[in-house]
Amino acid sequence: MPYDLNPQPAPQHRPHRLAPRVRDRGGAGPTTAALTVLPAVMALAALTLAGCGGAGGPGAAPAPGNPEGAGATPSTAASGPSPTAGGDGAPAGRDVPAPSLDAKPAGPGGGPLAGKVVVIDPGHNPGNFRHPREISRLVDIGTNRKECDTTGTATDDGYTEAAFNLDVARRLRTLLEKQGATVRFTQDDDRPFGPCVDERARIGNRAAADAAVSIHADGSGSGNRGFHVIHPAPVERGAADTAKIVGPSRELAERIAGQFVRATGSAPAEYVGGGTGLHERGDLGGLNLSTVPKVFVECGNMRDAKDAALLKSSRWRQQAAQGIAEGISTYLRG
């Protein structure tokens, strides 16, 4: 994704590996309950890190990508989805068993997630590139004002982040609905552009979502590989007050990160988050303005050829959706 050239620094915390650490749903702090991250998953993460570009890529690691974005976006992103990209020709992820969520759909009101509401935010409307004026207007994100939205990034051969995000989001919806959850989208390519980042937060708030997840792919430099999950920093300024969601959102991030490793075989990014798979930020309106637990999942780096090959694989996208779904499910089931 496009980088935020002037990110507002978030409070820095000592990074944590994907380890048992669960916070109270009220955000009061850690509880004694253990996070469901299997030792085998941790061993896999340790093995796969060695094969990633991550911090070992050429040059110093760049600033993290900006899911809401400021500044220029790749020219390929403005051309719309490539007609040949995103198919099954690219190699899939490592063959790692993923938790199966392919059970038959639960009946009305049935399933382990019955009564739970999940808001899925597919980052960057595919039509944004047609509306540069509308998406460039500034909106209030609590800490400052920021662009309504961006086009997102793209692979070198033109597979857009917007197309990727929407595909994974739709797969994720299917998996969660099979578990009985009520799923709502912020957009489903059913509007010309947007919604803006502030409206995306309001959609989750109005739905009183039990969890809100924004799907993205990063636009870091070539050689930087892996995924990370962004969770909100403590922010209290203007319209932003994340005090009540910092703890639950961190738990949601940890759950998703652990299951994403297991389902896809991808390693946590080394170029951001220190290899934890987690990254706390206080400069994103979608998080700052949320009143419900919310995270952003950066599934991989579209500007790295190896990660891009995975992101363009329909099989790998299904694995990514599986990992995110299982992370949400374990979080909601407690």
Side-chain angles (χ1 to χ4, degrees):
M1 281 187 188
Y3 299 135
D4 187 348
L5 300 180
N6 296 289
Q8 185 163 355
Q12 297 297 309
H13 295 275
R14 183 179 180 182
H16 296 268
R17 295 276 169 179
L18 300 180
R21 186 174 184 271
V22 177
R23 292 180 180 265
D24 184 274
R25 291 294 164 88
T31 69
T32 55
L35 170 62
T36 310
V37 180
L38 301 179
V41 177
M42 302 310 304
L44 173 62
L47 289 171
T48 54
L49 278 173
C52 292
N66 179 19
E68 292 170 4
T73 57
S75 59
T76 49
S79 62
S82 166
T84 58
D88 290 306
R94 287 182 55 176
D95 218 357
V96 179
S100 176
L101 295 179
D102 290 324
K104 294 181 180 180
L113 299 184
K116 300 296 185 181
V117 176
V118 180
V119 169
I120 300 175
D121 175 28
H124 313 294
N125 188 315
N128 277 359
F129 74 96
R130 298 186 185 95
H131 300 272
R133 178 176 298 179
E134 290 88 347
I135 68 171
S136 64
R137 72 179 180 87
L138 300 181
V139 298
D140 183 9
I141 67 166
T143 54
N144 60 307
R145 296 177 67 80
K146 205 168 188 179
E147 288 86 350
C148 160
D149 202 357
T150 69
T151 61
T153 190
T155 63
D156 289 342
D157 60 356
Y159 180 46
T160 66
E161 182 196 353
F164 169 84
N165 297 341
L166 195 56
D167 182 81
V168 173
R170 288 169 174 169
R171 294 169 187 266
L172 176 58
R173 174 172 58 192
T174 298
L175 294 170
L176 292 173
E177 287 180 342
K178 285 181 178 179
Q179 298 297 297
T182 297
V183 179
R184 299 179 184 175
F185 270 30
T186 59
Q187 60 91 12
D188 196 3
D189 197 15
D190 52 0
R191 53 188 291 168
F193 64 92
C196 297
V197 296
D198 56 340
E199 184 182 350
R200 289 172 186 262
R202 287 196 296 271
I203 291 171
N205 297 346
R206 286 196 299 264
D210 296 286
V213 177
S214 190
I215 307 298
H216 286 270
D218 206 3
S220 183
S222 178
N224 292 330
R225 298 193 62 195
F227 77 92
H228 63 280
V229 186
I230 302 171
H231 55 98
V235 174
E236 185 176 0
R237 182 177 173 187
D241 185 357
T242 63
K244 292 182 179 180
I245 68 164
V246 166
S249 297
R250 170 76 187 224
E251 180 187 342
L252 176 61
E254 289 173 337
R255 298 281 186 167
I256 291 174
Q259 295 298 335
F260 198 90
V261 170
R262 178 175 179 173
T264 66
S266 292
E270 282 287 5
Y271 67 93
V272 62
T276 65
L278 305 173
H279 185 45
E280 183 179 89
R281 292 182 65 172
D283 63 320
L284 301 178
L287 299 181
N288 288 356
L289 301 177
S290 181
T291 59
V292 300
K294 185 173 182 178
V295 299
F296 283 46
V297 184
E298 295 282 2
C299 297
N301 177 20
M302 299 197 99
R303 309 303 290 175
D304 175 82
K306 292 181 180 179
D307 264 14
L310 297 178
L311 298 171
K312 291 188 292 182
S313 163
S314 61
R315 179 185 175 201
W316 189 90
R317 293 195 299 270
Q318 184 64 27
Q319 292 174 336
Q322 286 268 1
I324 297 168
E326 186 62 19
I328 294 171
S329 180
T330 57
Y331 167 79
L332 294 178
R333 287 186 278 124

